[in-house]
Short mmCIF file of all heavy atoms in Angstrom, two decimals:
data_model
loop_
_atom_site.label_atom_id
_atom_site.label_comp_id
_atom_site.label_asym_id
_atom_site.label_seq_id
_atom_site.Cartn_x
_atom_site.Cartn_y
_atom_site.Cartn_z
N PHE X 1214 121.49 117.37 91.00
CA PHE X 1214 122.73 117.23 91.72
C PHE X 1214 123.58 118.48 91.78
O PHE X 1214 124.15 118.79 92.79
CB PHE X 1214 123.60 116.09 91.05
CG PHE X 1214 123.21 114.70 91.48
CD1 PHE X 1214 122.06 114.51 92.36
CD2 PHE X 1214 123.98 113.63 91.14
CE1 PHE X 1214 121.73 113.22 92.74
CE2 PHE X 1214 123.59 112.31 91.55
CZ PHE X 1214 122.53 112.12 92.36
N TYR X 1215 123.65 119.24 90.69
CA TYR X 1215 124.49 120.41 90.67
C TYR X 1215 123.94 121.43 91.73
O TYR X 1215 124.67 122.01 92.50
CB TYR X 1215 124.40 121.06 89.31
CG TYR X 1215 125.20 122.38 89.17
CD1 TYR X 1215 126.57 122.42 89.37
CD2 TYR X 1215 124.55 123.52 88.81
CE1 TYR X 1215 127.26 123.54 89.28
CE2 TYR X 1215 125.29 124.72 88.73
CZ TYR X 1215 126.60 124.76 88.92
OH TYR X 1215 127.31 125.91 88.86
N ALA X 1216 122.62 121.53 91.81
CA ALA X 1216 121.99 122.42 92.79
C ALA X 1216 122.30 121.96 94.21
O ALA X 1216 122.65 122.78 95.09
CB ALA X 1216 120.46 122.48 92.58
N TYR X 1217 122.20 120.59 94.39
CA TYR X 1217 122.55 120.03 95.74
C TYR X 1217 123.95 120.41 96.07
O TYR X 1217 124.30 120.75 97.24
CB TYR X 1217 122.34 118.55 95.73
CG TYR X 1217 120.92 118.00 95.59
CD1 TYR X 1217 120.72 116.73 95.11
CD2 TYR X 1217 119.78 118.80 95.90
CE1 TYR X 1217 119.40 116.18 94.95
CE2 TYR X 1217 118.53 118.30 95.73
CZ TYR X 1217 118.34 116.97 95.24
OH TYR X 1217 117.11 116.51 95.09
N GLU X 1218 124.83 120.21 95.13
CA GLU X 1218 126.29 120.37 95.33
C GLU X 1218 126.60 121.86 95.75
O GLU X 1218 127.36 122.14 96.65
CB GLU X 1218 127.14 119.96 94.16
CG GLU X 1218 127.19 118.46 93.96
CD GLU X 1218 127.85 118.07 92.60
OE1 GLU X 1218 127.65 118.78 91.60
OE2 GLU X 1218 128.48 117.01 92.62
N LYS X 1219 126.03 122.76 95.00
CA LYS X 1219 126.29 124.16 95.15
C LYS X 1219 125.76 124.62 96.57
O LYS X 1219 126.38 125.31 97.28
CB LYS X 1219 125.68 125.05 94.08
CG LYS X 1219 126.30 124.91 92.72
CD LYS X 1219 127.62 125.56 92.58
CE LYS X 1219 127.50 127.05 92.36
NZ LYS X 1219 128.77 127.66 92.05
N CYS X 1220 124.57 124.16 96.88
CA CYS X 1220 123.94 124.57 98.10
C CYS X 1220 124.56 123.89 99.26
O CYS X 1220 124.68 124.47 100.36
CB CYS X 1220 122.38 124.24 98.13
SG CYS X 1220 121.54 125.17 96.87
N GLY X 1221 124.92 122.58 99.09
CA GLY X 1221 125.52 121.88 100.17
C GLY X 1221 127.08 121.95 100.28
O GLY X 1221 127.67 121.47 101.17
N ASN X 1222 127.64 122.61 99.31
CA ASN X 1222 129.05 122.78 99.22
C ASN X 1222 129.86 121.46 99.37
O ASN X 1222 130.62 121.19 100.26
CB ASN X 1222 129.52 123.72 100.39
CG ASN X 1222 130.92 124.19 100.18
OD1 ASN X 1222 131.40 124.33 98.99
ND2 ASN X 1222 131.72 124.47 101.23
N PHE X 1223 129.55 120.57 98.41
CA PHE X 1223 130.27 119.27 98.31
C PHE X 1223 130.20 118.78 96.91
O PHE X 1223 129.50 119.35 96.07
CB PHE X 1223 129.64 118.28 99.36
CG PHE X 1223 128.27 117.77 98.96
CD1 PHE X 1223 128.08 116.42 98.87
CD2 PHE X 1223 127.18 118.63 98.84
CE1 PHE X 1223 126.84 115.95 98.54
CE2 PHE X 1223 125.94 118.11 98.47
CZ PHE X 1223 125.74 116.81 98.42
N SER X 1224 131.01 117.72 96.70
CA SER X 1224 131.04 117.14 95.30
C SER X 1224 130.49 115.70 95.42
O SER X 1224 131.11 114.89 96.09
CB SER X 1224 132.45 117.16 94.75
OG SER X 1224 132.57 116.16 93.77
N ILE X 1225 129.40 115.49 94.69
CA ILE X 1225 128.80 114.14 94.71
C ILE X 1225 129.73 113.18 93.95
O ILE X 1225 129.95 112.01 94.38
CB ILE X 1225 127.41 114.14 94.10
CG1 ILE X 1225 126.49 115.03 94.98
CG2 ILE X 1225 126.82 112.75 93.99
CD1 ILE X 1225 125.11 115.21 94.40
N GLU X 1226 130.38 113.69 92.90
CA GLU X 1226 131.28 112.84 92.10
C GLU X 1226 132.47 112.31 92.88
O GLU X 1226 132.90 111.16 92.79
CB GLU X 1226 131.80 113.56 90.86
CG GLU X 1226 132.61 112.67 89.95
CD GLU X 1226 132.62 113.12 88.48
OE1 GLU X 1226 132.28 114.33 88.24
OE2 GLU X 1226 132.87 112.33 87.59
N THR X 1227 133.01 113.16 93.82
CA THR X 1227 134.12 112.74 94.66
C THR X 1227 133.67 111.60 95.58
O THR X 1227 134.41 110.64 95.80
CB THR X 1227 134.61 113.89 95.51
OG1 THR X 1227 134.79 115.04 94.66
CG2 THR X 1227 135.83 113.57 96.35
N GLU X 1228 132.49 111.76 96.14
CA GLU X 1228 131.96 110.78 97.07
C GLU X 1228 131.47 109.53 96.34
O GLU X 1228 131.67 108.40 96.85
CB GLU X 1228 130.85 111.34 97.88
CG GLU X 1228 131.11 112.60 98.64
CD GLU X 1228 131.87 112.37 99.91
OE1 GLU X 1228 132.01 111.19 100.40
OE2 GLU X 1228 132.38 113.40 100.51
N CYS X 1229 130.79 109.65 95.26
CA CYS X 1229 130.13 108.54 94.54
C CYS X 1229 130.48 108.51 93.08
O CYS X 1229 129.51 108.77 92.23
CB CYS X 1229 128.63 108.58 94.74
SG CYS X 1229 128.22 108.65 96.47
N PRO X 1230 131.70 108.28 92.73
CA PRO X 1230 132.07 108.33 91.25
C PRO X 1230 131.37 107.36 90.43
O PRO X 1230 131.00 107.65 89.28
CB PRO X 1230 133.60 108.06 91.25
CG PRO X 1230 133.89 107.36 92.60
CD PRO X 1230 132.84 107.92 93.52
N LYS X 1231 131.03 106.14 90.97
CA LYS X 1231 130.40 105.10 90.16
C LYS X 1231 128.96 105.59 89.80
O LYS X 1231 128.46 105.31 88.70
CB LYS X 1231 130.32 103.79 90.91
CG LYS X 1231 131.60 102.95 90.76
CD LYS X 1231 131.41 101.65 91.62
CE LYS X 1231 130.83 100.56 90.79
NZ LYS X 1231 130.86 99.29 91.57
N LEU X 1232 128.34 106.23 90.75
CA LEU X 1232 127.01 106.66 90.49
C LEU X 1232 126.93 107.78 89.49
O LEU X 1232 126.05 107.78 88.61
CB LEU X 1232 126.32 107.13 91.80
CG LEU X 1232 124.78 107.10 91.76
CD1 LEU X 1232 124.28 105.68 91.77
CD2 LEU X 1232 124.21 107.83 92.92
N ILE X 1233 127.87 108.68 89.53
CA ILE X 1233 127.92 109.74 88.53
C ILE X 1233 128.21 109.12 87.09
O ILE X 1233 127.66 109.55 86.13
CB ILE X 1233 128.99 110.86 88.91
CG1 ILE X 1233 128.58 111.49 90.19
CG2 ILE X 1233 129.15 111.83 87.80
CD1 ILE X 1233 127.24 112.21 90.15
N ALA X 1234 129.12 108.13 87.13
CA ALA X 1234 129.40 107.51 85.82
C ALA X 1234 128.13 106.81 85.26
O ALA X 1234 127.86 106.92 84.07
CB ALA X 1234 130.48 106.42 86.01
#
Side-chain angles (χ1 to χ4, degrees):
Chain X
F1214 278 7
Y1215 179 63
Y1217 293 158
E1218 287 172 323
K1219 291 286 281 188
C1220 297
N1222 194 29
F1223 69 124
S1224 159
I1225 297 175
E1226 187 154 19
T1227 308
E1228 304 280 351
C1229 306
K1231 275 178 89 173
L1232 202 71
I1233 296 299

